[in-house]
Amino acid sequence: MSITRRGFLESAVVASLATGLNAQDKSKRSQTPEPSSAKRPIILCSNNGRNYLDDAFLFLKNGGDTLDAGLHVVKGPEDDPFDDSVGLGGLPNEDGVVELDACCMHGPTRRAGSVGGVRNIKNVSLVARAVMEHTGHVMLVGEGAERFAVATGFPRESLLTDRSRKVWLLWKEAQSTNDWWGPGLASPQWKPPLTPPQSKVWEERIHQLEEHAAQLGIEPEFRAAAIRRVLSPPTGTIHCSTLNDKGEMSGCTTTSGLAFKLPGRCGDSPIIGAGCYTDQDVGSAGATGSGEENIKVAGAHTIVENMRRGMSPQEAGMDALQRIVRNFNNDMTKLKFMDMTYYILRKDGAYAGVSLWEHSSPTSVHRIAVHDGTRRSEQTVALFKGVSQEFPPFPVTIPPELKEDSVYLK
Ligand code: GLY
């Protein structure tokens, strides 16, 4: 079931493959090319798929199948133990177990496949395709999905890397002083629970996390990133939509889901119509970000249907974001704790990347990756300026110097 790079390319030849508080504050920048300048073939994906775009584009250009091309892109991060948002090395659930979600849609045959809450199988995007190809179902979850994967040839393997295990332990220790995780009373490392003055609580908390991270053996250069994951559990995911020169389209999305989630939680990624939706009569869309919010607006389906009614890719995506905003009655005290990015590809090759917040962290912006003969990353068009905040929120205000400049929040 695994695809080697050589095999993949050979098969192509054979196939001949600031916290802005105003929801009306829409950016004037549009990345959507006019239909006349839109190119085919084209691949659009999350920025963590960028390194896998060259091979996939060549495959697509040489006549390869649109879904196979997309799966090649998302399989890269699934195989990468250092990408902790998907597959091997994904951040685990609250029990320390990696549970993966994925789905795919094949435009030419109008089929779909999906798996949710899968343990011990790395390439769940390929398992989603196997569900599509080898069953009469669309979605398998949990133990049944794992057994199906093994039956169809996928190896069972441990997905929890040492690094992700240590980040999970750090998170576990950081949760509270009211449980038995972390240094006990007998430990020389034990410290009394944090007490006021409140302004110092945050600083002290970061300092404690830093000490814990060092005790856990988290390497110094990864410590700041690990602390950020603990303070703000990520929902890292990868989506890819593809379009060939015949107008065929496919889409796929894969993820380890929200870090430290409750066991059994499925996000939007395996939900056809939320994490991914493709109808090659119109276009294809996918999502990364706050899964719960995206499920409630059926984001990817909403976007494709918006384009069917004549909206541009950017307008279609902004409308889906506005529906999330509407679900919270424009309440910025809540909206600041979520984020969402949509990847939108229309059948003529016009595309857009839109996000709820401009920044993915105080120091970097949300980006999509594109290949239409030229591989590049592009900034998304954002509904709100600034960056979303960590959730659950801390009971203290973060001192400005930590919020803006601290390496811990990069
Ligand atoms: N969007 C990924 C998740 O929420 O699981």
Side-chain angles (χ1 to χ4, degrees):
M1 277 295 171
S2 69
I3 305 173
T4 62
R5 178 173 186 267
R6 184 157 170 231
F8 176 75
L9 292 173
E10 277 173 355
S11 64
V13 175
V14 172
S16 260
L17 200 176
T19 309
L21 300 183
N22 181 359
Q24 308 308 318
D25 181 23
K26 292 182 185 173
S27 168
K28 296 234 170 9
R29 285 171 290 123
S30 171
Q31 293 157 326
T32 307
E34 290 305 310
S36 57
S37 65
K39 289 186 180 171
R40 303 195 315 198
I42 178 170
I43 306 178
L44 182 67
C45 68
S46 320
N47 208 35
N48 52 339
R50 185 189 155 107
N51 290 345
Y52 309 96
L53 280 175
D54 285 340
D55 285 351
F57 184 79
L58 191 59
F59 177 80
L60 198 59
K61 200 170 153 56
N62 287 336
D65 179 72
T66 46
L67 181 55
D68 290 346
L71 289 170
H72 177 78
V73 174
V74 304
K75 181 177 181 296
E78 280 182 344
D79 289 340
D80 179 357
F82 294 103
D83 187 324
D84 62 15
S85 69
V86 296
L88 177 66
L91 290 172
N93 66 20
E94 71 174 14
D95 288 345
V97 178
V98 180
E99 285 183 347
L100 306 177
D101 303 332
C103 78
C104 65
M105 289 193 84
H106 187 239
T109 57
R110 297 184 177 275
R111 290 181 299 166
S114 159
V115 289
V118 181
R119 300 178 174 193
N120 304 312
I121 309 287
K122 180 177 60 176
N123 296 123
V124 281
S125 61
L126 302 183
V127 183
R129 180 179 63 184
V131 170
M132 180 185 87
E133 288 179 339
H134 301 302
T135 78
H137 305 309
V138 168
M139 187 173 198
L140 295 178
V141 300
E143 192 195 331
E146 181 181 339
R147 278 170 35 201
F148 166 79
V150 172
T152 50
F154 291 86
R156 252 193 191 105
E157 58 195 298
S158 168
L159 304 181
L160 189 64
T161 56
D162 208 36
R163 173 182 272 192
S164 286
R165 183 183 60 78
K166 287 174 179 172
V167 175
W168 169 74
L169 267 180
L170 185 64
W171 173 79
K172 199 84 183 154
E173 293 190 6
Q175 283 317 292
S176 114
T177 51
N178 300 327
D179 63 23
W180 295 100
W181 287 91
L185 286 174
S187 165
Q189 269 103 37
W190 185 84
K191 295 218 172 104
L194 297 171
T195 50
Q198 291 283 294
S199 61
K200 287 282 170 204
V201 170
W202 178 263
E203 205 176 334
E204 181 61 21
R205 186 176 179 112
I206 292 211
H207 185 63
Q208 283 193 354
L209 283 170
E210 206 175 25
E211 284 183 353
H212 279 152
Q215 286 156 14
L216 286 168
I218 294 176
E219 62 269 37
E221 60 278 14
F222 184 62
R223 240 169 251 168
I227 291 172
R228 175 165 174 75
R229 282 156 175 71
V230 166
L231 296 178
S232 181
T235 54
T237 299
I238 177 165
H239 168 77
C240 185
S241 282
T242 57
L243 167 66
N244 69 13
D245 55 7
K246 291 187 277 185
E248 295 170 336
M249 303 188 82
S250 289
C252 50
T253 302
T254 179
T255 188
S256 50
L258 176 66
F260 323 127
K261 60 194 173 187
L262 269 62
R265 177 260 191 192
C266 278
D268 58 327
S269 302
I271 309 292
I272 302 291
C276 178
Y277 191 73
T278 305
D279 178 345
Q280 65 179 30
D281 292 346
V282 179
S284 180
T288 60
S290 308
E292 280 73 9
E293 305 321 320
N294 189 37
I295 291 172
K296 289 188 285 185
V297 299
H301 183 263
T302 294
I303 288 167
V304 171
E305 295 309 308
N306 281 344
M307 290 195 289
R308 196 191 302 275
R309 292 200 305 275
M311 287 188 197
S312 71
Q314 184 177 316
E315 288 166 344
M318 282 295 179
D319 173 72
L321 293 173
Q322 292 282 12
R323 292 181 193 216
I324 293 174
V325 172
R326 171 69 186 89
N327 279 348
F328 288 89
N329 293 319
N330 299 301
D331 183 348
M332 298 307 294
T333 60
K334 293 183 177 171
L335 289 165
K336 68 184 178 185
F337 294 118
M338 59 194 74
D339 206 354
M340 181 60 57
T341 299
Y342 289 121
Y343 309 80
I344 307 156
L345 182 57
R346 200 168 60 187
K347 67 176 182 179
D348 60 358
Y351 66 90
V354 302
S355 54
L356 189 62
W357 291 94
E358 184 178 23
H359 289 257
S360 54
S361 77
T363 54
S364 57
V365 293
H366 282 295
R367 292 181 195 284
I368 58 172
V370 187
H371 203 321
D372 58 5
T374 309
R375 187 184 68 163
R376 58 193 180 275
S377 295
E378 293 180 1
Q379 184 176 346
T380 58
V381 177
L383 193 57
F384 300 133
K385 296 199 181 311
V387 62
S388 63
Q389 294 178 21
E390 75 285 342
F391 190 88
F394 289 99
V396 291
T397 307
I398 304 170
E401 67 275 16
L402 284 172
K403 197 172 176 185
E404 299 303 330
D405 304 327
S406 170
V407 292
Y408 300 104
L409 297 177
K410 282 179 184 161

